Amino acid sequence: MPEAPFTGSHMLADLHGCTRLNDVEHIRNALLNTVKAAGATLLDLKIHHFGPEGGVTGVALLAESHISIHTWPERDYAAVDIFLCGATHDLDGALSRLKRDLGAVRAATRIIRRGYGCNPSD
Amino acid sequence: MPEAPFTGSHMLADLHGCTRLNDVEHIRNALLNTVKAAGATLLDLKIHHFGPEGGVTGVALLAESHISIHTWPERDYAAVDIFLCGATHDLDGALSRLKRDLGAVRAATRIIRRGYGCNPSD
């Protein structure tokens, strides 16, 4: 059998015009909803709040890799990455859910193939 | 003052020809060394081992964003991302340290600017 052409898809998404980015419980729930929408298996979730009015950093460790979010509430901006390996996943569904939960007005995204069968410098 | 042109630098690195990728303590130490080499501030570290001969998934949460690693020992391959925000960080130093610790023969990297001042789709 030929080698699989790549291991996974890594989406980087910059979300603009978001709301409640200093609300740590809101971000935690948004991450959990995104994992579910991705069809991924959650191993662990870590979240850190940079003070009551500050941003939030969160990472969901997945059997399929990870989803991370870093928020700048003062800019209504969140930097997200969704890295999913394996055949069964839904990158677009995950992004849609996260955009909805965060109230994003605009998303700038790119998807990069990762893995032993491809060169990310291509 | 003009708006900062970007928030941070996100390096994606595919490391090939690595060794000991099923050794969870080795990967934990490599992550910690990489955080130090980056000049970053560690908030938390989560690591998961997919069985004695299996791969490892690890994420270091940083005050500056995160560093993640996912390993495929059967392919001697590791997918890494190093996302550092703020003025004081050392992406190249972090990558060099990680390559050395993992014994990587080849690294394919790309760096993407993230933030409210740039569009990753450009």
Side-chain angles (χ1 to χ4, degrees):
Chain A
M1 265 176 60
E3 182 170 273
F6 64 102
T7 306
S9 298
H10 198 158
M11 175 186 278
L12 305 187
D14 282 16
L15 305 186
H16 301 271
C18 303
T19 56
R20 298 176 63 189
L21 292 182
N22 62 340
D23 181 339
V24 67
E25 287 310 315
H26 179 60
I27 302 298
R28 186 194 307 275
N29 287 332
L31 258 181
L32 289 171
N33 290 338
T34 303
V35 171
K36 203 175 208 179
T41 303
L42 184 69
L43 299 174
D44 206 341
L45 189 144
K46 291 303 296 185
I47 204 149
H48 178 87
H49 197 185
F50 293 94
E53 298 304 317
V56 175
T57 273
V59 179
L61 264 74
L62 308 174
E64 297 82 2
S65 288
H66 73 264
I67 299 175
S68 78
I69 182 168
H70 307 284
T71 79
W72 282 260
E74 71 279 16
R75 296 282 184 170
D76 302 329
Y77 165 74
V80 171
D81 73 309
I82 304 172
F83 184 9
L84 298 174
C85 295
T88 311
H89 55 65
D90 185 356
L91 265 182
D92 292 335
L95 179 67
S96 292
R97 179 68 205 225
L98 191 57
K99 282 170 63 180
R100 196 172 76 199
D101 279 9
L102 300 186
V105 172
R106 185 168 66 84
T109 63
R110 66 166 78 198
I111 297 173
I112 294 154
R113 291 186 167 188
R114 306 291 305 271
Y116 43 79
C118 67
N119 183 341
S121 297
D122 286 347
Chain B
M1 267 177 58
E3 184 170 272
F6 64 102
T7 307
S9 298
H10 199 158
M11 175 187 278
L12 306 187
D14 282 17
L15 305 186
H16 301 271
C18 302
T19 56
R20 299 177 61 191
L21 292 182
N22 62 341
D23 181 339
V24 67
E25 288 310 316
H26 180 59
I27 302 298
R28 186 193 308 274
N29 287 331
L31 259 181
L32 290 171
N33 290 338
T34 303
V35 171
K36 202 174 207 178
T41 302
L42 184 69
L43 299 173
D44 206 341
L45 189 145
K46 291 303 296 185
I47 204 149
H48 179 85
H49 198 186
F50 294 93
E53 298 304 317
V56 175
T57 274
V59 179
L61 265 74
L62 308 175
E64 297 82 2
S65 288
H66 74 264
I67 299 175
S68 78
I69 183 167
H70 307 284
T71 79
W72 282 259
E74 72 279 15
R75 296 282 185 171
D76 303 328
Y77 166 75
V80 171
D81 73 311
I82 304 173
F83 184 10
L84 298 173
C85 295
T88 310
H89 55 66
D90 185 355
L91 266 182
D92 292 335
L95 179 67
S96 291
R97 180 67 206 226
L98 191 57
K99 282 170 65 180
R100 195 172 76 200
D101 278 9
L102 300 186
V105 172
R106 186 168 65 84
T109 63
R110 65 166 79 199
I111 297 174
I112 293 154
R113 292 186 168 189
R114 306 291 305 271
Y116 42 79
C118 67
N119 183 341
S121 296
D122 288 344

